[in-house]
Amino acid sequence: MRDMSLSAFRVVFNAVSLAGLAVLALGSPGSAGSETLPWPDDAVKRPYIFTQQHNVDGRPDAESRIQKIRLDWPLQVQLPGNPAVWTFVEDQSVLVEPRGRTMVYSPNRIDGTESIFVFDFALAADAKDGDAGVITLATEELPASLAPVMPNGVFVVKFHVIDPD
Amino acid sequence: MRRRDFLRQAGAAVGLAPALQALGVSQALAQAGQLLRDLPELRSENGYLKTELIIEMGRFQVGGRMLHLPAYRFQHMDAGSLPGPTLRIKPGDKFEWDLINRMVPTGIPDGATQKQIDDLSQLEYTNVHTHGLQVSPEPGGDNVYQELKPGDPPQPYSYQVPGPETGRPQPAGLYWYHPHKHGSTSRQAWQGLSGAIVVEGDIDAVPEIAAARERVIVLNALLVNPAGEVPRAGIAPNAGFSPFTSIPAMPTDILLTMNGQLQPVVELQPGEVQRWRILAAAPHRFYWLEVEGHTLFQIGQDGVPFAEPRPVDRILMAPGNRAEFLIKGGRAGTYAIRAVEYEQGHPGGARPGWIIGTLEVAGEARDDALPTRLVTPPRMPDQPVARARTITFKGEISGGVPKGEFIGATEHAGHDDTTLPAVQFYLDGKVFNADRIDQHVVAGTVEDWTLVNEDVFQHPFHIHVNPFQVVAINGQPVDDDTWWDVIPLPSKGQITVRMFFRPDVTGKTVYHCHILPHEDNGMMANLRICPPGSDPYNLSEEVDQCEI
Ligand SMILES: [Cu+2]
């Protein structure tokens, strides 16, 4: 039992040492843009979640909204629908593999929608640092409430893969 | 080895922390299952207290993770505390602190440009609000319009807590302090910036309460990325485990902590009575709180004590609420302390249930007494209702509605005029504008406000300075003398509250939704409390005066 306590202590200590370095990196003066902080190897891998607010299709500022995605981390898209039905557009998507979908009940949150469509994705197995990717989904029917944010009934997110390790 | 002994040993290992503190670790604590800690405290003496309230960056071990967060400390402390230290004062006290802001940008999205980083610099601006204290909101007091940038000179705040000589002393109970800079409030709450204020008074003299072990328990929800930092970006609600994503997106996790610890153990002997003071400091999550197998004998709500204990099985705490109760240890055993699954109106349905801690009943049995009488609570003055108003709450989360009147947190999300805010929340169809006076009221009068909720989201109404009572729900009269300073509105329903604007406090202040991401995105408005005898009722919202 004593050993267990000690090893727990060592884990803490290691994490602190790593984090201490990160502080130095963050504090470096005159840096252009953000530094890439290390993420722990044992972190629970929650997905990058994209909602209609992340759509770049039809947006004048699309170029400044290209995401960075870390290699090996999962992706998820959540879009309001029902009765509108969102589907994955495979031939207009790049570097992602669909990993399942569902619909969760979410009534009275957004006019004309009863649910949220949830799509899981993984980066393609051969994705590597610097690669560009695209996720595209579309619906034939679009509730009026969503027309301003996804004017063409199309949802697009664009990203670059980074591999800080 | 018994589990408890192991926990103690784990505690001993943590005792080696000074070496870590030198590396900037403020608190090398909180493996899941360790004993609930008591927060550091500072107490007024001879009616006065002065300190510095310093926000400094720290590293905090929470569960298996190392978080990098700004944290409060008082002047006498070596390191910041997550959540902040507790202040203990009495009615009639004067207390002062100088707020010092040493926050640095954290949680920056990968690939952010320097311009994108600079555009969000307001997320490190701050100020401090003393939630529930019936003190002046004027500049230099509990003024939420002030802002303090990192590195600015210390900003002085001074508070005169109402004493018995006013005829309406500050009720004895649990209050709190937290940042209230419009646009930055929710992010700083997700960073855990919050602290308890205990006002000591009449209820503490009730013998059964005086004899009880007291615990101040602050509930926080920390929204962190894998680096253990709170995203520095716009946010949008989503379904699923963690309720918000950032723009640009980064993976987030939500950690529900008690006193900065993940699932700590609270010890109680069979038959022992303890007094728990609980603060819901999370900016978004409702806690439908229960302690498995135990009755909660509630003795106060939002700082105001009751006439007698009210036994309940669970207590709903919206963000900002406080609940104080006595709990008597049952049979020896281990019991869950839970935030029960709760449908608060967030997209994607109910927020999941959580075990936020464990009650461990063990040791020698005893039979502590519970009180039957407490104190005489303040009463609503018996005077006619001077004014009745209606306030409408409505949110917009499609992301497709052009920017409203104010340029608040939506601007922080990096949007400009060519784009759309991620979300917007309105009171009476308007987003917050600091220069507008939405309501002129008169100190010393009683008013009824009907709060109409057009959403399923149970927006919790909060108003600064004066508490209120509920007189009707959906138009049906309610006979309940509980005082509140935060009350959740029914989905697609309405509540009528009655307020007494105490005669000795005037000034400009705010009312708002205490879902802090709603407040930051517009759901706040201004109130001008005019001096007794003035007649401001026909003034337009452009006029920040009290007479025509
Ligand atoms: Cu709200």
Side-chain angles (χ1 to χ4, degrees), chain B residues 363-422:
Chain B
E364 210 172 306
R366 45 201 258 192
D367 186 20
D368 293 357
L370 286 159
T372 52
R373 291 286 312 157
L374 298 173
V375 298
T376 306
R379 293 188 47 191
M380 181 66 72
D382 186 16
Q383 56 188 68
V385 174
R387 204 87 183 162
R389 301 170 196 258
T390 301
I391 316 278
T392 302
F393 291 66
K394 173 79 183 150
E396 162 47 54
I397 60 170
S398 73
V401 171
K403 196 154 70 183
E405 257 185 275
F406 176 62
I407 21 83
T410 52
E411 193 172 64
H412 300 166
H415 294 287
D416 54 42
D417 288 329
T418 65
T419 60
L420 301 165

Side-chain angles (χ1 to χ4, degrees), chain B residues 393 425 457-460 513-515 518-519 523:
Chain B
F393 291 66
F425 291 87
F457 211 116
Q458 296 175 24
H459 301 290
C513 175
H514 219 292
I515 300 289
H518 296 184
E519 183 252 288
M523 200 169 253

Side-chain angles (χ1 to χ4, degrees), chain B residues 55-99:
Chain B
I55 301 178
E56 253 169 19
M57 303 306 296
R59 293 189 185 278
F60 299 90
Q61 178 82 23
V62 176
R65 307 180 57 159
M66 184 63 69
L67 310 186
H68 184 211
L69 302 169
Y72 283 123
R73 73 174 168 88
F74 292 152
Q75 198 167 1
H76 70 282
M77 296 162 55
D78 300 331
S81 172
L82 168 72
T86 300
L87 193 66
R88 287 187 180 268
I89 55 175
K90 292 186 168 65
D93 282 0
K94 180 177 184 182
F95 75 93
E96 302 179 292
W97 52 30
D98 291 340
L99 182 64

Side-chain angles (χ1 to χ4, degrees), chain B residues 169-194:
Chain B
Q170 182 76 41
L174 182 62
Y175 302 89
W176 65 300
Y177 62 93
H178 67 92
H180 210 299
K181 162 71 183 76
H182 181 65
S184 313
T185 307
S186 52
R187 182 166 182 269
Q188 291 176 17
W190 273 314
Q191 291 177 313
L193 284 170
S194 53

Side-chain angles (χ1 to χ4, degrees), chain A residues 1-2 4-5 9 12-13 15-16 19-20 22-23 26 31-40 44 46-54 59-61 64-65 67-68 70 73 78 104-110 116 145-146 148-149 162, chain B residues 1 6 9 16 20 23 25 31 59 61 66 68 105 108-114 116-117 226-227 229 236-239 241 245-253 343 345-349 397-400 415 418-420 422-423 456 492:
Chain A
M1 201 47 92
R2 173 167 283 273
M4 251 184 89
S5 304
F9 176 70
V12 171
F13 188 83
V16 171
V23 167
L26 245 190
S31 59
S34 66
E35 307 287 340
T36 306
L37 289 181
W39 290 357
V44 178
R46 307 269 182 220
Y48 287 84
I49 296 177
F50 305 104
T51 59
Q52 68 273 16
Q53 286 94 342
H54 293 83
R59 288 190 69 130
D61 59 346
S64 68
R65 292 166 63 93
Q67 281 268 158
K68 302 280 191 227
R70 296 198 188 202
W73 285 71
Q78 298 189 3
V104 299
Y105 190 47
S106 190
N108 300 311
R109 270 68 165 184
I110 294 174
I116 297 174
S145 61
L146 296 176
V149 70
I162 59 172
Chain B
M1 184 185 288
F6 168 64
Q9 286 212 352
L16 301 170
L20 295 176
L23 294 169
V25 175
Q31 301 294 330
R59 293 189 185 278
Q61 178 82 23
M66 184 63 69
H68 184 211
I108 296 168
D110 286 335
T113 63
Q114 192 60 47
Q116 287 167 334
I117 294 172
E229 299 181 339
N238 60 244
F241 183 78
T245 185
S246 60
I247 305 170
M250 63 184 89
T252 62
D253 224 326
E343 169 57 288
H346 191 73
I397 60 170
S398 73
H415 294 287
T418 65
T419 60
L420 301 165
V423 295
V456 287
K492 306 252 180 189

